[in-house]
């Protein structure tokens, strides 16, 4: 159901803002996960570098680049897979952090899909020349 307070053109931007915020939260969680919250090895590990692709693509996504959004959709899948595997194989705090990362990756993926859907709908409703 469309939001009555927002014009139809604002819907894609709203979903993009949610995706940008969720990807930023996921990148931050990935860093915290491997350094302090539940590192693979005590004291942190080089696995913290897994946040670099998210951080590199994030500025273009924040600018609204369609190509960056498409790339992010593909990039989120391995993050989700790793989080699910670690969530099922680890226990305690480690599993909690992993399931949080899985939830964030699903939320970002869904927000990006909804952004593309709203953008397509807005283009279809635009009057032609």
């Amino acid at each position: 159901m469309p939001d009555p307070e927002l014009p139809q053109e604002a819907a894609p931007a709203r979903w993009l803002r949610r995706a940008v915020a969720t990807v930023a939260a996921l990148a931050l969680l990935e860093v915290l996960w491997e350094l302090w919250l539940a590192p693979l090895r005590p004291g942190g590990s080089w696995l913290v570098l897994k946040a670099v692709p998210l951080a590199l693509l994030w500025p273009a996504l924040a600018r609204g680049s369609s190509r960056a959004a498409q790339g992010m959709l593909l990039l989120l899948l391995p993050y989700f897979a790793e989080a699910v595997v670690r969530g099922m194989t680890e226990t305690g705090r480690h599993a909690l952090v992993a399931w949080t990362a899985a939830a964030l990756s699903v939320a970002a993926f869904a927000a990006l899909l909804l952004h593309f859907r709203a953008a397509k709908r807005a283009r279809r409703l635009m009057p032609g020349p």
Side-chain angles (χ1 to χ4, degrees):
M1 177 177 221
D3 191 345
E5 297 176 14
L6 292 173
Q8 190 65 30
E9 303 84 39
R14 177 183 59 201
W15 286 113
L16 183 62
R17 283 191 307 273
R18 290 178 183 175
V20 167
T22 309
V23 167
L26 179 61
L28 179 63
L29 179 65
E30 294 289 339
V31 170
L32 294 175
W33 183 2
E34 295 303 334
L35 290 181
W36 297 288
L37 294 176
L40 205 54
R41 294 193 175 118
S45 71
W46 284 96
L47 204 52
V48 72
L49 294 177
K50 68 183 176 182
V52 170
L54 291 173
L56 289 176
L57 203 50
W58 186 82
L61 182 67
R63 284 192 304 271
S65 167
S66 213
R67 196 168 288 249
Q70 292 169 351
M72 190 62 76
L73 278 171
L74 293 173
L75 187 62
L76 286 168
L77 296 175
Y79 287 93
F80 173 74
E82 185 225 5
V84 168
V85 167
R86 287 182 68 179
M88 294 179 82
T89 58
E90 296 180 5
T91 59
R93 180 181 63 214
H94 296 266
L96 179 64
V97 174
W99 287 117
T100 303
L104 285 172
S105 61
V106 166
F109 192 86
L112 286 169
L113 286 180
L114 289 168
H115 162 67
F116 281 121
R117 180 180 177 201
K120 181 179 178 182
R121 184 175 291 151
R123 279 192 309 272
R124 192 174 49 224
L125 294 175
M126 288 177 65

